[in-house]
Amino acid sequence: MAIPIAYNLRNLVVRKTTTLMTALGIALTVAMLLAILALVNGLRVTLTASGDPLRIVVVRQGSDSELVSNFVRTQFQDIKFKPGIATGSDGQPLASLEMVTIINLSRENDSDVNVNVRALLGVGRELRPNVHIVSGRWYQPGQREVVVGRMLAQQHEDAHLGKNIRFGRGEWRIVGVMDGGGGSTDSEIWADLNQVSSDMQRVEILSSVTLKAVDAVAAKALINDISNDQRLDLSAVSEQEYYARQTSSADPIKFIGIFVAIIMAVGSSFAAMNTMYAAVARRSREIGTLRVLGFSRGSILLSFWMEAVLLSLLGGLLGCLLALPLNGLTTQVGANFATMAFAFHVTPEIMAVGLVFALVLGSLGGLFPARMASRKEILTALREV
Amino acid sequence: MRYLPLILKNCWRNRRRTILTIASIGVSMCLLGVMVSMYHAFYMGAPAPDQAVRLVVRNRISITQPVPLSYRQRLQQFPGVQVVMVANWFGGVYKDARDPKNQFARFAIDPEKLFQIYGEYRIPEDQKQAFLRERTACVIGRDVADSLHLKVGDRLPIKGDIFPGDFEFTIRGIFDSPSASQVMYFNREYVEQSMSERRRGFVGLYYMRIDDPAHSGRIAEAIDSEYHNAPYQTKTENEQAFVVGFLALLGDVKMFLFAISAAVMFTILLVSANTMAMSVRERVREIGVLKTLGFTNGAILGLILGEACAISVAGGLLGYLISTFLMQVVAKSPVGGFLPAMPLIEIPVAAACIAIAAAIGLISSLVPAAGASRLSIVEALRSTD
């Protein structure tokens, strides 16, 4: 027969200081893990928000990002008129030749922020209708003017509307702030292609082309067509997939975070073990009494183990509570050399992972003390003070 | 001090608990040790002698922006500058880039300058000469050779992305380095040939060897102010600062280290406080006896605080030892190449770890110790628990 769970619950309540301290230790470990998972998840959500399945990013074969890609203008002519590309308002194909580069905005406190500068023509804006101006206006072609992403303007005091930033051969005026709907655009600077490319002396060598396909079938056909054409030496992926790949830049952070969480878990499972051993030692006589009443060794083992599991469950729940305020908090992380601002994203799935983690940790830590409790001889147990 | 034997005896009487507590603190402290050593190495550590005499010149805007090749002549003339080497981050892809083994740093450099700049690299003289003679030759670090099972004479095909094209190198030498050597060097001219006219005449970085580390600040300032009004402004810093700047691309490293350290410290505090509370609670009667024998309140306080300190310092020491071992593993990993070389035992780091442990021990036992010392004799003796 099993010992009722109420017995364990009451025991946890009676020793509330110890219970709470042990649970808090577990909670911190869980919160740590959740913070890292939420960070990586937030990055993923932000990057996938940037992606549209109908938009296709074309880069040089072998380049895994726009930044390291080289695109020559003549290559653009070769793909611009491929069938399946949607037509813009002016009757021209929606194909945008772009240049992406990084500039460094130094902050007051001396830590540098690297920002993506995307130089494009009007067609580039037309095929991204989700990006719109929230304050100010768009840059004028042929002017030394730029528009900054919403997040960038928020996070960086030098990137406010009306200020000047310096790159290339001189100063550029910030004339607008744009909203890209939570995607990576929010951390970018946009400017006129011809102006930037001549300023950086890269008139011929640009970075990438973004296309808009008519429909999903055409998108697939275009991707195959461009990637398989040996003469072009280009590689095309849907924008969604492109950004999903960029998420891998957070892999080192994820790896370090999980490593830290596991080491902390070892530490807090030792602490849980300690608490449970103390509980077993203090309740020696109780255990003897339970045995006299006819509870088997097995049910005592189960009971004490359950108590450890309950303890860690409490810790896991506390950990989730601790991590919850992180949700929506903005932070920045380097994604492929450029800093990107995004929000922590705590989801139910992540919290479930945290709870399972706590339960595993607690049940491992509770196993040995429970075994000790079940092995006590009735007489010695009753005699212990 | 004369109570020391008593304190140690007290520590040892509940062996299992003490060992579990030490292990728990030790595991967490080892994380803290790693964080502190990294922080120390990045932001406070004196660079290794070979590193201190190396300066890096880059474009002020970002490391992804080029500097004119024409600067080389002028750089060589700055007083204190001994050798100037061009270094281009080549990027590129070797076989399948998704396999982390295939991701090693690749630099296009001036072969005849390489071993003057990196005085700490060891390479057989005949291999060095072979490397200098042949335009398509390359040298690789011992770590690359070991992980990819490459030997002198092997071919190493690399697909360029930043510098487009298929390049085939012949390994003419393998060098040993005191720090991680996940790196490959080859002749800049081989790459230069394949570049378009427009891109020639620009380089990524200049590495310089200077005569005296004490002059590095003055030389860096002289160079940067020389090019202050030039179209391509420079930023000159020592290699260590350059590496830290490079890491900043990954995110806010400082904040990351702080956040993890804080969580770890708080966990240790909880574990230690819990243990001490448990052991004091078990000994209330004994404390009554000690007081009857004439121990003052202060002595009791000291005994308990001392016990907590002894346990947490033991944990701190254990943690520090594990962390030195972990740091060796980190230094050998691919990330290690970015880290400054770290000696096995770093006195300030060890001192910091142990001081933190002792402080945590003190703080955590303050409440139970104060409670015990204030207990009246009658009350203590009456306690049955």
Side-chain angles (χ1 to χ4, degrees), chain B residues 151-174:
Chain B
K151 53 186 190 307
V152 174
D154 283 353
R155 300 203 169 270
L156 197 61
I158 305 281
K159 196 171 175 61
D161 43 21
I162 305 174
F163 300 93
D166 291 305
F167 297 89
E168 183 152 305
F169 300 99
T170 314
I171 299 170
R172 287 295 174 219
I174 296 171

Side-chain angles (χ1 to χ4, degrees), chain B residues 208-258:
Chain B
M208 298 188 304
R209 191 182 178 89
I210 56 170
D211 53 354
D212 184 350
H215 297 159
S216 64
R218 184 176 55 75
I219 297 175
E221 223 165 273
I223 293 174
D224 289 347
S225 60
E226 167 95 9
Y227 293 112
H228 186 69
N229 290 320
Y232 296 87
Q233 297 181 341
T234 60
K235 175 150 183 175
T236 309
E237 48 201 348
N238 68 36
E239 194 180 37
Q240 194 184 20
F242 176 73
V243 168
V244 172
F246 190 78
L247 273 178
L249 293 178
L250 291 176
D252 198 339
V253 183
K254 246 186 203 175
M255 203 203 74
F256 200 63
L257 291 182
F258 270 128

